[in-house]
């Protein structure tokens, strides 16, 4: 670096230990100081690098700077945020990379000297609000739909969390899913206000006092809401501030605390009987110069969790209900994938209890041993994603199908991961007898999870048995084996196929993707998708591709791919995609 500067006739002095100590949070190893002429005056810029340089980019800091949060992109210690975290520089020409950073720093500071910085503060409002937060250190989570207009919201206070929501019902359901052990007394809610601001505030406008909060709420046309809540004299008033930035909606929170009563002296009623305090006096005292807390908010509303409000599929998925029959090593990961993808409601059906042998290839762990798979998986999903509705049924799929008022009457799609011909043949008959009211996705694995299948039987026709023989064996299998692949435990009927979660992951993703495509109408009628593992893996576990796969997809025999074809056609039929 120094050789490059010397070649340009520059001799920047090295930073002293005391200078480097100012940037200790960045672990600097060595640095240099430059003096730049700007339109207002000369300012000093420090450049420093860490032990990871040039693989870790250099940083530039502004020494002569105004107070923190006067200019954007300037951290408390003066280090400039010039490029996003994902930016990269050539490690072969470190001098060029640092030169670019210095040029960027000069241009940025000159712009700020000219007063052009409010748009940056507004575009990245949440970052600067977080820098300016003050007061409560509890995490604030928001379920609020981040849209105008101003309105009354609901608030729950826990020891470590504050939760905001639009309605009592929404918040009670979310809390009960998160922690079923919460008692009724622990789920008491209070009201707050969401004030939707016309413009995004900049740091000088961030409310510092209760009076500032009241002014912001009044500017949003919600002063009457806040005054109504204040008459109840709660210990804290919660005010969420919403605004529309160029990158989407943003929500922050302020908290007005009731003035403390000291030795029986209540600042709110001083000089008056408690019931006789004039309204203007009461409001002036509550919404006075006492400090207000500023808290950052982490959004946990469904549109944000599922795609950060950028996934167009969520509108459909958040209206969808999926029933999943079988919560084993295939069905359980599929259920989790669907919940994380944004499906609003899941119905889980499985009669079996979880055992130690399942732990290695199942999302549930040791704590769930001896408990029903369906109910334990439902608890897991509710705790991880409290906005997802989950029902569980610990019974045979056949029993559920034979119930005239069963929950399958109102679903949008059924996933069968049963791997059980008697149950799936009944499901196939039930589907036809009920007029094929929705698609069904069937998923299963072949030995060692070397291949997997997802069959989408649509509501327009066709059925599962079109591709199976009379005992439920598929007409098309992808693999063949010289020896028996099934293994046995030292117990009656305890047989299993040896494979782990890594091999299985490709197949559960195949089934989950088929389910999403079925819900979104992104698949043709009666489609058969087959996952083929890598050929090297198949051969390592003693298998080979079947002759049928060689005929229909000769281009896919190296494996690591998916092929698609119509379900129910003869094995020699042409592949639609690979």
């Amino acid at each position: 670096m120094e050789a490059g500067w010397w070649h340009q006739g520059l001799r920047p002095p090295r930073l002293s230990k005391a200078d480097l100590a100012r940037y200790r949070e960045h672990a600097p190893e060595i640095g240099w100081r430059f003096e730049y002429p700007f339109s207002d005056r000369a300012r000093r810029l420090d450049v420093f690098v860490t032990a990871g340089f040039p693989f870790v980019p250099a940083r530039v800091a502004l020494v002569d700077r105004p107070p923190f949060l006067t200019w954007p992109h300037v951290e408390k210690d003066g280090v400039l945020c010039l490029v996003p975290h994902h930016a990269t520089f050539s490690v072969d020409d470190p001098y060029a990379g640092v030169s670019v950073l210095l040029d960027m720093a000069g241009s940025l500071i000159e712009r700020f000297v000219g007063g052009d910085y409010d748009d940056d503060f507004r575009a990245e409002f949440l970052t600067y609000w977080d820098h300016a937060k003050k007061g409560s250190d509890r995490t604030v989570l928001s379920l609020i739909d981040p849209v105008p207009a101003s309105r009354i919201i609901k608030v729950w206070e826990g020891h470590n969390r504050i939760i905001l929501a639009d309605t009592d019902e929404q918040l009670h359901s979310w809390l009960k899913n998160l922690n079923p052990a919460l008692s009724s007394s622990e789920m008491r809610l209070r009201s707050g206000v969401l004030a939707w601001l016309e413009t995004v505030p900049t740091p000088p406008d961030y409310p510092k006092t209760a009076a500032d909060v009241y002014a912001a709420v009044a500017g949003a046309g919600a002063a009457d809401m806040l005054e109504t809540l204040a008459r109840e004299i709660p210990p804290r008033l919660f005010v969420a501030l919403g605004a529309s930035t160029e990158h989407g909606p943003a929500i922050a929170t302020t908290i007005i605390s009731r003035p403390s009563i000291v030795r029986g002296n209540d600042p709110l009623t001083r000089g008056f009987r408690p019931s006789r305090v004039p309204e203007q006096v009461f409001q002036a005292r509550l919404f006075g110069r006492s400090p207000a807390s500023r808290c950052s908010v982490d959004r946990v509303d469904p549109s944000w969790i599922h795609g950060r409000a950028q996934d167009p599929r969520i509108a459909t998925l958040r209206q969808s209900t999926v029933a999943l029959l079988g919560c084993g090593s295939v069905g359980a990961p599929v259920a989790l994938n669907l919940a994380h993808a944004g499906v609003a409601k899941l119905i889980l059906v499985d009669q079996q209890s979880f055992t130690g042998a399942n732990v290695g290839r199942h999302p549930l762990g040791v704590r769930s041993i001896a408990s029903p798979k369906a109910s334990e998986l439902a608890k897991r999903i509710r705790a991880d994603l409290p906005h997802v509705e989950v029902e569980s049924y610990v019974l045979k799929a056949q029993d559920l199908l034979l119930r005239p008022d069963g929950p399958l009457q109102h679903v949008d799609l059924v996933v069968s991961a049963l791997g059980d011909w008697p149950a799936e043949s009944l499901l196939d008959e039930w589907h036809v007898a009920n007029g094929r009211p929705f698609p069904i996705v069937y998923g299963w694995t072949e030995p060692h999870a070397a291949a997997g299948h997802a069959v989408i039987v649509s509501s327009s026709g066709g059925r599962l048995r079109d591709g199976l023989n009379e005992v439920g064996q598929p007409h098309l299998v992808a693999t063949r084996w010289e020896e028996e692949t099934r293994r046995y435990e030292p117990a009656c009927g305890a047989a299993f196929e040896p494979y782990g979660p890594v091999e299985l992951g490709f197949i559960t993703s195949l089934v989950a993707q088929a389910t999403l495509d079925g819900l979104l109408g992104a698949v043709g009628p009666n489609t058969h998708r087959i996952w083929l593992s890598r050929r090297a893996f198949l051969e390592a576990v003693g298998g080979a591709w079947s002759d049928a796969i060689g005929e229909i997809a000769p281009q896919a025999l190296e494996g690591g791919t998916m092929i698609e074809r119509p379900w129910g056609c003869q094995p020699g039929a042409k592949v639609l995609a690979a």
Side-chain angles (χ1 to χ4, degrees):
M1 290 302 306
E2 288 180 336
W5 287 321
W6 291 353
H7 184 70
Q8 298 294 326
L10 302 174
R11 293 292 190 272
R14 288 193 180 185
L15 297 181
S16 67
K17 288 184 178 180
D19 292 328
L20 290 172
R22 298 176 183 176
Y23 313 117
R24 61 173 61 91
E25 291 186 5
H26 302 276
E29 283 287 319
I30 189 171
W32 302 265
R33 177 160 291 172
F34 292 82
E35 188 166 307
Y36 270 66
F38 291 96
S39 58
D40 63 337
R41 63 185 178 93
R43 296 176 187 270
R44 292 168 295 171
L45 293 176
D46 286 349
V47 176
F48 62 85
V49 297
T50 69
F53 183 78
F55 307 101
V56 176
R59 299 301 301 268
V60 180
L62 176 61
V63 181
D64 305 302
R65 59 188 183 274
F68 182 52
L69 293 181
T70 301
W71 289 349
H73 311 302
V74 184
E75 298 179 9
K76 279 187 177 180
D77 56 7
V79 174
L80 301 176
C81 299
L82 297 172
V83 293
H85 293 302
H86 59 265
T88 58
F89 295 89
S90 170
V91 299
D92 299 322
D93 189 359
Y95 177 80
V98 175
S99 297
V100 168
L101 289 174
L102 281 169
D103 288 343
M104 293 176 68
S107 299
L108 186 71
I109 294 165
E110 190 60 58
R111 181 160 66 87
F112 294 163
V113 167
D116 180 12
Y117 45 76
D118 280 355
D119 287 347
D120 295 57
F121 276 131
R122 292 191 171 102
E124 300 176 10
F125 166 66
L126 294 179
T127 294
Y128 298 107
W129 180 275
D130 186 62
H131 287 326
K133 67 184 178 183
K134 182 179 180 181
S136 176
D137 58 356
R138 284 182 289 180
T139 301
V140 181
L141 304 180
S142 172
L143 295 165
I144 297 170
D145 188 12
V147 296
S150 300
R151 57 191 182 270
I152 296 293
I153 59 174
K154 296 300 177 180
V155 183
W156 177 82
E157 285 190 85
H159 293 299
N160 301 313
R161 295 189 182 99
I162 298 169
I163 317 294
L164 313 178
D166 278 314
T167 66
D168 287 343
E169 295 77 15
Q170 178 191 32
L171 191 43
H172 277 133
S173 173
W174 196 93
L175 288 169
K176 203 64 180 175
N177 282 344
L178 179 70
N179 185 2
L182 280 176
S183 64
S184 298
S185 61
E186 294 174 306
M187 293 180 65
R188 290 175 181 167
L189 310 182
R190 59 170 48 118
S191 295
V193 174
L194 170 65
W196 201 268
L197 309 178
E198 290 188 6
T199 60
V200 182
T202 60
D205 302 322
Y206 295 169
K208 300 175 180 63
T209 65
D212 295 337
V213 175
Y214 182 88
V217 173
D224 56 336
M225 300 179 192
L226 188 58
E227 292 168 4
T228 299
L229 298 182
R231 293 188 189 104
E232 301 173 8
I233 318 183
R236 284 165 296 282
L237 281 169
F238 293 87
V239 177
L241 303 177
S244 299
T245 77
E246 65 176 273
H247 300 304
I251 294 178
T253 300
T254 61
I255 304 174
I256 300 173
S257 296
R258 186 195 194 285
S260 300
I261 300 174
V262 180
R263 297 178 181 177
N265 182 15
D266 187 347
L268 294 180
T269 62
R270 186 176 59 250
F272 299 91
R273 293 180 182 179
S275 60
R276 300 283 185 174
V277 182
E279 187 74 15
Q280 288 183 328
V281 173
F282 175 81
Q283 290 184 17
R285 291 176 174 178
L286 180 58
F287 303 120
R289 308 311 300 175
S290 59
S293 296
R294 294 188 296 265
C295 306
S296 296
V297 172
D298 208 344
R299 283 179 58 183
V300 291
D301 56 284
S303 65
W304 185 254
I305 282 180
H306 305 293
R308 305 191 191 197
Q310 302 294 320
D311 190 341
R313 303 173 301 173
I314 296 305
T316 298
L317 297 179
R318 289 302 300 157
Q319 302 296 321
S320 299
T321 298
V322 174
L324 204 141
L325 311 184
C327 298
S329 59
V330 174
V334 170
L336 288 177
N337 281 339
L338 296 178
H340 281 96
V343 172
K345 181 177 179 179
L346 295 173
I347 298 172
L348 308 179
V349 183
D350 197 303
Q351 67 164 335
Q352 295 181 339
S353 293
F354 192 65
T355 68
N358 301 140
V359 172
R361 61 184 189 186
H362 198 283
L364 297 177
V366 171
R367 286 181 296 182
S368 296
I369 289 175
S371 298
K373 292 179 184 178
S375 55
E376 287 294 292
L377 185 60
K379 290 178 187 176
R380 160 79 183 273
I381 294 172
R382 292 188 197 110
D384 289 350
L385 299 162
H387 62 281
V388 176
E389 185 179 354
V390 189
E391 294 179 8
S392 61
Y393 295 86
V394 183
L395 43 69
K396 290 183 178 181
Q398 294 98 313
D399 295 338
L400 194 70
L401 291 168
L402 295 172
R403 286 170 50 171
D405 59 343
L408 301 189
Q409 302 292 336
H410 306 290
V411 304
D412 298 289
L413 186 144
V414 168
V415 178
S416 176
L418 295 165
D420 178 76
W421 171 237
E424 291 189 326
S425 61
L426 176 59
L427 176 61
D428 192 35
E429 294 289 344
W430 180 93
H431 194 219
V432 174
N434 283 273
R436 300 183 179 89
F438 42 70
I440 297 180
V441 175
Y442 297 88
W444 67 90
T445 67
E446 293 196 24
H448 290 277
H453 301 258
V455 171
I456 305 115
V457 176
S458 72
S459 55
S460 61
R463 52 192 306 177
L464 174 65
R465 67 170 56 244
D466 292 342
L468 308 175
N469 64 21
E470 66 277 6
V471 294
Q473 298 297 317
H475 295 315
L476 174 63
V477 293
T479 61
R480 58 182 173 85
W481 308 85
E482 296 298 329
E483 298 180 359
E484 171 64 43
T485 60
R486 191 166 295 163
R487 302 290 185 266
Y488 295 88
E489 299 175 23
C492 180
F496 67 97
E497 290 287 349
Y499 55 78
V502 175
E503 301 88 2
L504 187 63
F506 297 102
I507 300 169
T508 57
S509 294
L510 177 81
V511 177
Q513 184 63 63
T515 303
L516 292 185
D517 289 345
L519 290 171
L520 298 168
V523 66
N526 307 324
T527 299
H528 182 194
R529 294 175 179 172
I530 308 169
W531 162 257
L532 305 179
S533 69
R534 291 181 304 108
R535 183 176 197 159
F537 169 76
L538 174 66
E539 293 174 350
V541 292
W545 298 126
S546 68
D547 293 339
I549 283 291
E551 290 179 19
I552 68 172
Q555 78 285 4
L557 296 186
E558 287 305 309
T561 190
M562 186 268 290
I563 62 177
E564 183 172 310
R565 63 196 299 273
W567 173 246
C569 65
Q570 293 302 311
K574 184 179 180 180
V575 171
L576 298 178

